[in-house]
Amino acid sequence: MEYAVKSGIPEKQRSACVVVGVFESRRLSTAASRLDEASGGFLTHLLRRGDMDGRAGQTLMLTNVPEMVCDRILLVGCGRERDFGDRAYHQAVTAAANALQESGAVEAISYLSDLPVKGRDNAWRVRAAVLTTGNALYRFDRLKTDSEKPRRPLRKLTLSVPGRRELPAGERAVVEGRAIANGMALAKDLGNLPGNICTPTYLAEQAEALAKEFPALKVEVLGPKDMEELGMGALLAVARGSRQEPRLITMRYDGGGRGDKPHALVGKGVTFDSGGISIKPAAAMDEMKFDMCGAASVFGTLRAALELELPLNLVGVVAATENLPDGNATKPGDVVTTMSGQTVEILNTDAEGRLALCDALTYTERFGPATVLDMATLTGACIVALGHEAHAVLGNQQGLVNDVLAAGRTAGDRGWELPLWDEYQDGLKSNFADMANVGGRDAGTITAACFLSRYAKKMRWAHLDIAGTAWNSGEKKGATGRPVPLLTQYLLDRC
Ligand code: BES
Ligand code: MN
Ligand code: ZN
């Protein structure tokens, strides 16, 4: 897909399709009014007749509109003008993308980016339009023998900006939107791949492949022997029951100054989580192939950063392993020594994410990071608390947590803070080791973060629990590409 920005009046566009908004009820946007006037009131007539009333998500494709130099006009319902915010804009752009993809128009110019979205400027609207369109047109069909490709797919989308003065910021917005969309597509691809293809070894190969595409990326991959030497007893304990070897993948990008401390992104890469000996029930267990979506977000965000050539030093660390039961698997009650030297009683082998991550966090200390963010599909409790809208955000430094939350608001990929108070640490007491790997039933997302915090004491650290946001279940089952937008925005904000 190609994206561009342009300033110009809608009735003069020799395009395969001009896209304009209609508000409820039957109120034409500025661009739509101009087309209406130029066509002798054609649109007003249609609306009066009741063909469309402007409800959010509605679309109406028109051909042969009188006096027009374009081939088609796409009317897009935007809901009430008073309520036109991020959500309605997202809906309108998505509806337009889907209608265009079906229409046979291979190119279009959209005036939705000129609509007044509450609290957002031109550049934001252009970036969001590119990002949302990229997301809407994403398909994962590489494992189908007969992929249902649209017969004439959309190839180029031009976004309108109100005047020539807005062109430079608009062009930058296109570049950012495209980079984030590409990062999300990579994260989705990795997430959607099944566990028999996307193994720890496969993830390591994908890191190498990314470095091939972007030579500024340096990759180092550790296997079980290296982990043994480093004393990563927790990560190794997760991998014990699997025939697939674990991998610790480090990706470095030095786009910043020589002495600048890197920002570190750490991802949970459990390529399949059966629960281990504390095995999960069968229902929806297939979705545990998505248990590496934290890792996928590290890949996706690094890809976006590389495409944007951000002037930052970055390090991505992915702890990749399977969690399976076999005769060699870790048993409830086993005690292991982590890389940090702290010992852990593994009371539940299904709380494996924190075990893989704790050693990855200790390993990250060696890069002397400015900040560390870890992303993990860590707890079912997170879904109970926040559902599928917000990532849970917890950290050991309020300023960092605030930066993460702010990035999420800007990017339309929001998190919500949960408390990481000392009082919650008590749940992790063990009679036999320094700590247990699970607390009680209550506040599961917080006690999981408490566990991680014990391995991040020396760093400015925040944790994103993405259990509810990294993939959709049901009919739309598939990875979402979140939180790549939040993370990329976080990095953009540091430039
Ligand atoms: N990967 C799961 C968390 C999860 C479950 C995410 C369902 C999304 C949907 C994690 O490894 C896990 O199993 N967590 C346990 C922790 C418990 C044993 C303390 C959980 O949430 O049940
Ligand atoms: Mn688990
Ligand atoms: Zn898991």
Side-chain angles (χ1 to χ4, degrees), residues 191-203:
N192 287 333
L193 281 169
N196 64 324
I197 296 175
C198 184
T199 59
T201 313
Y202 180 88
L203 282 180

Side-chain angles (χ1 to χ4, degrees), residues 273 280 350 352:
D273 179 14
K280 288 181 180 295
D350 198 10
E352 85 297 341

